[in-house]
Amino acid sequence: METKLEKCKEVALDYLNSEIYPTNIPFLVIHPFFESSVFPYKDGLVNINENEDAKKEVIAKYEQKIKEAKDIITIFIGMRNQYRMQYFSHIKQWLSEKDFGSLLAYSWVNDENANNNSVVDIEDILGFFKKAQKVYLMNEEELEKYKKLPQKVTIYRGVTDYNRDNDKALSWTLSKKKAEWFAHRFDEDGDVIKKEVDKKDIYAYFNSRDEDEVIVDYNVL
């Protein structure tokens, strides 16, 4: 099946036209496409939450970009990181096998807080990884590394008081050193958890952020 791009565009347009919520930080907003409410307009900058004409113009420009997109990744790139997995969950049934795998990976590795998505349940995300074909989830180097993993794999996770009790974490690392970094970043006094899993329970290996990350089925830990 080829990706049904027009269906995906319809959902993206719904996201674009959703409410632009202000925050306690001046001009910072909550919205799938906009991080700030300040945009160029005529001869200056305006807060589009305070200028309806400017808001309509900005929305119209983004609508045009979405409608003219030649592929689905163009839409993903224009969306804020923390909304991509949610968007993915809403369009997954219209994606080709290749786009399903590559966009799932893109949504995951570009979200700093992917393990704690506030909208998409972690069990659903695990299901996405189980369904995705590994050849599309990983790049060539990552896939080669995955293929060379032994049948029993030692994995690590750096935890702090913030995430110590999260027993549904998908993200682990093959590197003890990297786990120690996560345990102690921001001057935290964290710990490193060590586990051994079967290779069949690892669904992907990612290293675009130099984290030696593996996606693991938390049910077997």
Side-chain angles (χ1 to χ4, degrees):
M1 182 188 84
E2 291 188 0
T3 293
K4 297 180 179 179
L5 186 57
E6 293 307 312
K7 289 286 189 181
C8 298
K9 288 181 179 181
E10 289 176 9
V11 179
L13 290 171
D14 286 341
Y15 273 51
L16 174 63
N17 286 286
S18 62
E19 190 74 25
I20 305 173
Y21 292 103
T23 67
N24 293 329
I25 302 174
F27 310 121
L28 187 68
V29 296
I30 299 172
H31 187 269
F33 285 91
F34 309 142
E35 184 171 357
S36 170
S37 60
V38 176
F39 285 86
Y41 182 65
K42 294 186 176 178
D43 296 326
L45 298 173
V46 299
N47 183 343
I48 61 173
N49 272 339
E50 298 175 353
N51 187 315
E52 192 63 29
D53 289 338
K55 180 178 179 180
K56 288 179 180 179
E57 181 176 298
V58 170
I59 294 290
K61 288 180 179 178
Y62 273 74
E63 283 183 346
Q64 184 176 3
K65 289 179 181 179
I66 292 172
K67 290 176 180 178
E68 293 178 351
K70 301 299 183 183
D71 50 46
I72 187 62
I73 189 61
T74 300
I75 298 174
F76 265 75
I77 291 173
M79 192 172 288
R80 296 178 67 189
N81 293 353
Q82 61 267 44
Y83 287 90
R84 289 172 180 153
M85 188 63 75
Q86 180 182 348
Y87 178 58
F88 174 87
S89 73
H90 286 150
I91 65 168
K92 62 185 185 299
Q93 67 270 30
W94 298 313
L95 298 175
S96 67
E97 290 182 345
K98 181 178 180 179
D99 283 342
F100 185 98
S102 62
L103 293 176
L104 173 59
Y106 186 80
S107 301
W108 180 268
V109 300
N110 287 288
D111 186 351
E112 177 67 21
N113 204 30
N115 269 302
N116 299 291
N117 194 291
S118 61
V119 178
V120 186
D121 193 275
I122 196 69
E123 293 179 4
D124 291 332
I125 298 176
L126 174 59
F128 301 157
F129 276 110
K130 287 183 176 181
K131 179 180 178 181
Q133 294 192 30
K134 292 178 175 58
V135 67
Y136 300 132
L137 268 177
M138 296 171 270
N139 63 35
E140 290 184 9
E141 284 187 12
E142 292 168 340
L143 186 59
E144 191 63 26
K145 173 83 172 188
Y146 176 84
K147 289 178 177 178
K148 292 180 179 179
L149 292 176
Q151 293 307 306
K152 290 287 186 180
V153 183
T154 301
I155 59 174
Y156 305 90
R157 180 167 172 80
V159 297
T160 64
D161 290 341
Y162 169 73
N163 62 356
R164 191 183 307 276
D165 296 328
N166 183 3
D167 58 359
K168 290 187 176 181
L170 294 176
S171 180
W172 293 70
T173 177
L174 302 177
S175 168
K176 183 179 180 181
K177 183 177 180 180
K178 180 57 67 172
E180 290 172 343
W181 181 85
F182 276 110
H184 301 296
R185 68 172 174 170
F186 310 130
D187 293 323
E188 293 277 1
D189 184 21
D191 299 297
V192 172
I193 300 173
K194 177 181 177 181
K195 297 281 187 178
E196 187 176 83
V197 296
D198 293 332
K199 180 180 178 179
K200 65 180 179 60
D201 295 314
I202 297 177
Y203 295 101
Y205 167 81
F206 298 130
N207 198 38
S208 60
R209 297 186 297 191
D210 296 321
E211 293 178 357
D212 271 335
E213 180 184 19
V214 284
I215 304 301
V216 180
D217 186 347
Y218 52 78
N219 293 300
V220 303
L221 300 176

